[in-house]
Amino acid sequence: MNDTTVTLVGNVATAVEYRDTAAGGVARFRFAVTARRWDRERGLWSDGNTSFYTVSAWRSLGANLAASVSVGEPLVVHGRLKVREEERDGQRKTFVDVDATAVGHDLSRGTAAFRRAARAEPKPQSEQDPWAVAAEEGTAVPPQLVTAS
């Protein structure tokens, strides 16, 4: 597949919204990217136009993003670029979305403390309680003969 991948550096523009869906959890937020250029004549940085993107992050990336990111924070977002057109109020509008594959704080503008997300490790079959497994699956556990030694 020939996806267009992009890396964007900017700021979180809206609160992260997290929703559980049939395909897994998804986090969405708007992301603002402003070009900055050095103005030699004035000796200052000047801001260019700001572009806004809707960023979506799925499954564990989405859950971790929702727990870690707030409005105004500087981020680096890497993902697949999606451009779509819709008609709203009789006008054709273009929207630019990014399906994120990686997101992180921009450490050139601050510090962060990483915490690894805990993952539930599946127990080996021999350690699983057959009654608990049956209750979760809604099945009956066949009776077993137990003898005292």
Side-chain angles (χ1 to χ4, degrees):
M1 196 182 229
N2 292 326
D3 289 332
T4 301
T5 56
V6 295
T7 302
L8 304 171
V9 178
N11 293 302
V12 179
T14 63
V16 177
E17 294 179 16
Y18 183 79
R19 293 191 181 126
D20 283 314
T21 68
V26 62
R28 283 197 176 90
F29 65 97
R30 297 281 288 161
F31 193 59
V33 177
T34 303
R36 298 195 77 199
R37 291 180 178 41
W38 180 253
D39 184 343
R40 289 184 187 174
E41 292 174 10
R42 296 185 343 192
L44 299 170
W45 285 99
S46 61
D47 287 342
N49 294 329
T50 300
S51 299
F52 288 90
Y53 302 86
T54 299
V55 177
S56 299
W58 293 87
R59 293 173 278 292
S60 63
L61 176 59
N64 292 341
L65 188 113
S68 304
V69 172
S70 300
V71 173
E73 292 182 349
L75 296 180
V76 178
V77 174
H78 182 78
R80 290 178 294 279
L81 187 68
K82 308 279 184 181
V83 178
R84 58 188 167 86
E85 290 186 7
E86 292 180 10
E87 191 161 324
R88 290 189 180 176
D89 303 324
Q91 292 186 355
R92 200 124 179 96
K93 300 211 177 220
T94 303
F95 298 92
V96 184
D97 303 331
V98 176
D99 285 339
T101 55
V103 177
H105 284 100
D106 183 354
L107 297 180
S108 70
R109 299 186 358 203
T111 62
F114 180 79
R115 290 178 306 279
R116 187 171 302 279
R119 289 190 176 183
E121 304 240 352
K123 290 183 180 178
Q125 191 67 21
S126 62
E127 292 182 26
Q128 291 182 352
D129 177 9
W131 293 103
V133 171
E136 287 176 9
E137 296 174 355
T139 59
V141 175
Q144 298 177 359
L145 178 61
V146 178
T147 58
S149 7

